[in-house]
Amino acid sequence: GRTADFVFMFMFGGVIMTIIALFVNLVFLGQAFTIMLVYVWSRRNPYVRMNFFGLLTFKAPFLPWVLFGFSLMLGNSVMVDLIGIAVGHIYYFFEDVFPEQPGGFRILKTPGILKAIFDAPPEDPNYQP
């Protein structure tokens, strides 16, 4: 599986959001973290159709922006949503877009220690119980 990659995404997002939060004076980043995960999921599933409260139908890549608009309508701070979208975009670009470009390579590589801890060892095809 890719459990170690998922943990690395959590760590990457947490570090980047914490650094940004120091400059914009934010304390709670739970919503930004959630928006980051939603952004990455929505970009990786572009053809999934979504429905927001039965009123609005759209494709998955627009979900973070719909949630942003909903936060705006509720009068919440949109800075938190923008941080989540920005960090999600950075992760998505480094992980999924840049490596596919001509001359591209994986900038974000999951450390071997995380793979050793979280991913199961490969199965031996010659194993006979």
Side-chain angles (χ1 to χ4, degrees), residues 12-113:
F12 175 81
V15 168
I16 299 297
M17 279 187 233
T18 302
I19 291 169
I20 293 172
L22 293 173
F23 293 103
V24 294
N25 199 19
L26 285 174
V27 180
F28 182 68
L29 295 170
Q31 184 178 350
F33 195 75
T34 303
I35 294 292
M36 180 197 82
L37 295 174
V38 166
Y39 185 89
V40 172
W41 175 86
S42 69
R43 297 298 294 197
R44 289 182 174 173
N45 298 281
Y47 302 111
V48 174
R49 299 195 48 79
M50 308 291 298
N51 192 338
F52 191 71
F53 289 124
L55 301 172
L56 187 63
T57 302
F58 53 91
K59 291 193 177 184
F62 295 108
L63 180 59
W65 299 106
V66 170
L67 295 175
F68 172 81
F70 191 65
S71 289
L72 192 63
M73 286 189 332
L74 291 177
N76 296 337
S77 171
V78 294
M79 183 58 68
V80 178
D81 289 351
L82 288 175
I83 290 171
I85 289 171
V87 173
H89 182 75
I90 291 167
Y91 180 81
Y92 175 74
F93 180 80
F94 285 159
E95 186 69 17
D96 295 338
V97 176
F98 184 71
E100 300 300 321
Q101 300 301 312
F105 57 93
R106 279 193 75 188
I107 295 172
L108 300 176
K109 293 182 181 173
T110 303
I113 186 77

Side-chain angles (χ1 to χ4, degrees), residues 1-6 110 114-115 118-123:
R2 297 190 54 192
T3 305
D5 294 336
F6 192 65
T110 303
L114 290 179
K115 289 184 179 186
F118 293 105
D119 287 343
E123 293 184 19

